[in-house]
Amino acid sequence: MKRYLRQEISRSPKEPFLPDAGFLPGYPITPATELAEAMSRRLPQEGGVYLQAEDECAAMHMCIGAALGGLKAMTATSGPGFILYADPYGWALGCETPLVVLNSGRVGR
């Protein structure tokens, strides 16, 4: 039996996120790197901005700041990076900040 794996990550945020463009700060960590690569090309075409942060915590803080400033904001990471989002993520939840966080993972058996 053959197995096929399609990467749809570059398409996943397109519908809810791109109509009004927006802001995606991120720090490349696999498997979320594919989203960062795709959005770094796609967002400027739609009037948005992709910014590579110096670490995961900074990416989350940038995302929160953009959301509080009125932009549609999103960030993406994977399991090891998500734990570094804990402090700013908790603050954003407490302030009811509207943002999207994509926590990607690898497919296993």
Side-chain angles (χ1 to χ4, degrees):
M1 176 177 177
K2 288 186 179 181
R3 292 182 182 215
Y4 297 95
L5 177 64
R6 291 180 17 174
Q7 287 186 332
E8 299 263 351
I9 194 164
S10 62
R11 203 176 76 114
S12 63
K14 188 188 277 187
E15 296 303 319
F17 186 65
L18 284 179
D20 297 328
F23 181 65
L24 192 148
Y27 183 76
I29 181 170
T30 57
T33 305
E34 288 83 4
L35 177 73
E37 290 174 354
M39 296 303 276
S40 68
R41 289 187 298 270
R42 178 75 179 178
L43 275 174
Q45 296 171 355
E46 303 290 332
V49 174
Y50 171 80
L51 182 64
Q52 182 174 326
E54 62 268 20
D55 59 30
E56 289 88 350
C57 191
M60 187 61 159
H61 281 288
M62 290 178 197
C63 187
I64 293 167
L68 291 174
L71 293 176
K72 285 191 174 182
M74 173 183 178
T75 188
T77 190
S78 65
F82 188 73
I83 194 64
L84 299 172
Y85 281 1
D87 183 45
Y89 188 67
W91 185 83
L93 287 172
C95 294
E96 297 182 1
T97 307
L99 53 89
V100 175
V101 177
L102 186 132
N103 186 12
S104 61
R106 291 188 177 90
V107 177
R109 287 185 174 226

